[in-house]
Amino acid sequence: MNQDMSIVRLVLDASWVVQAVMALLACVSIASWAAIFRKIFALRRVKSLNEAFEREFWSGTTLNDLYASAAQNARAAGPMERIFASGMREFQKLRERRIQDGGVLLDGARRAMRASYQREMDAVESQLSLLATTGSVSPYVGLFGTVWGIMHAFTGLASLQQVTLASVAPGIAEALVATAIGLFAAIPAVTAYNRFARDIDRVSIQLETFIEEFTNILQRSVGAPGAPQSTAGR
């Protein structure tokens, strides 16, 4: 007997529990792929904005001019520019309060930048948990569907007096489709998660390095009256 063993037929002939597992895994896979593409474009944008601001920062533009530009373009700014703006804002507020202690000025600016850094990293790391969950849970969900499908297949064979490979194969095949879908959802999610984690680590190092460099620049300018007017590269 010729039996239709296509993937579509196997899915349609599966039990409702296995079909529910397959549908869940398909939805999770679609969501993870959407998160992957969003994260690709988001990280490219972060990298581009950070590099553009870093070039401007070291181009010789005064800190006040950079701060004015960052304040005007707050929504379109990148993480590094927003961290710079938060540090400068706190530094200038403390200066306006006639605080002359350089340690207090630097500590306030550093704390403001660290707080901004945490907010930026939370935004950059968004949706990574979805990929991690998909990569770790999907194979087990697919395995559950496979185990259930095999149990259902053998239960249906209990009433047969003679069991052949042809009678067992369709039930087992439709059950294994659940595992295949689970792996299809998990493998790209794990691969993307590892790649994004590495890229985010680079962004984190870049931002932390900038915080230290900018703090050094502020430290050299704390002796000057008023807001720092020196160029960023000096």
Side-chain angles (χ1 to χ4, degrees), residues 11 48 51 125 130 154 163 180 211-212:
V11 172
S48 175
E51 290 178 350
E125 292 174 353
L130 172 62
F154 279 108
V163 178
I211 290 174
E212 294 301 320

Side-chain angles (χ1 to χ4, degrees), residues 16 78 164 178 188 195 233:
W16 68 269
T164 63
R195 172 62 184 273

Side-chain angles (χ1 to χ4, degrees), residues 49-59 63 66-67 70 78-88 109-110 113-114 116-117 120 202-218 232-233:
L49 291 174
N50 283 348
E51 290 178 350
F53 177 75
E54 195 168 23
R55 286 193 300 269
E56 185 178 5
F57 182 82
W58 295 110
S59 66
L63 297 179
L66 286 173
Y67 177 61
M80 185 178 293
E81 188 170 2
R82 285 192 288 265
I83 290 173
F84 163 80
S86 65
M88 277 294 295
R110 180 186 289 273
M113 287 190 289
R114 295 301 301 183
S116 179
Y117 165 82
E120 296 298 334
R202 292 175 181 171
V203 172
S204 176
I205 294 172
Q206 183 185 31
L207 295 179
E208 288 183 330
T209 302
F210 172 78
I211 290 174
E212 294 301 320
E213 292 173 339
F214 182 44
T215 301
N216 292 335
I217 292 173
L218 292 178

Side-chain angles (χ1 to χ4, degrees), residues 162-186:
Q162 184 178 2
V163 178
T164 63
L165 181 60
S167 60
V168 175
I172 296 178
E174 67 189 31
L176 291 175
V177 172
T179 296
I181 297 177
L183 294 175
F184 178 79

Side-chain angles (χ1 to χ4, degrees), residues 62-80:
T62 63
L63 297 179
N64 285 340
D65 289 342
L66 286 173
Y67 177 61
S69 175
Q72 292 177 356
N73 304 316
R75 289 193 173 184
M80 185 178 293

Side-chain angles (χ1 to χ4, degrees), residues 40-144:
I40 288 174
F41 293 123
L43 288 176
R44 284 181 180 176
R45 181 174 183 272
V46 166
K47 181 179 178 181
S48 175
L49 291 174
N50 283 348
E51 290 178 350
F53 177 75
E54 195 168 23
R55 286 193 300 269
E56 185 178 5
F57 182 82
W58 295 110
S59 66
T61 306
T62 63
L63 297 179
N64 285 340
D65 289 342
L66 286 173
Y67 177 61
S69 175
Q72 292 177 356
N73 304 316
R75 289 193 173 184
M80 185 178 293
E81 188 170 2
R82 285 192 288 265
I83 290 173
F84 163 80
S86 65
M88 277 294 295
R89 186 183 306 112
E90 185 66 19
F91 187 87
Q92 290 187 347
K93 284 182 179 179
L94 295 175
R95 273 287 180 88
E96 291 172 358
R97 295 176 185 174
R98 307 297 181 183
I99 296 176
Q100 301 299 324
D101 189 339
V104 174
L105 293 172
L106 293 176
D107 185 60
R110 180 186 289 273
R111 283 189 287 105
M113 287 190 289
R114 295 301 301 183
S116 179
Y117 165 82
Q118 291 298 331
R119 289 193 297 270
E120 296 298 334
M121 291 308 301
D122 287 342
V124 171
E125 292 174 353
S126 63
Q127 298 181 344
L128 279 188
S129 59
L130 172 62
L131 298 179
T133 302
T134 299
S136 60
V137 175
S138 293
Y140 296 102
V141 176
L143 182 60
F144 167 76

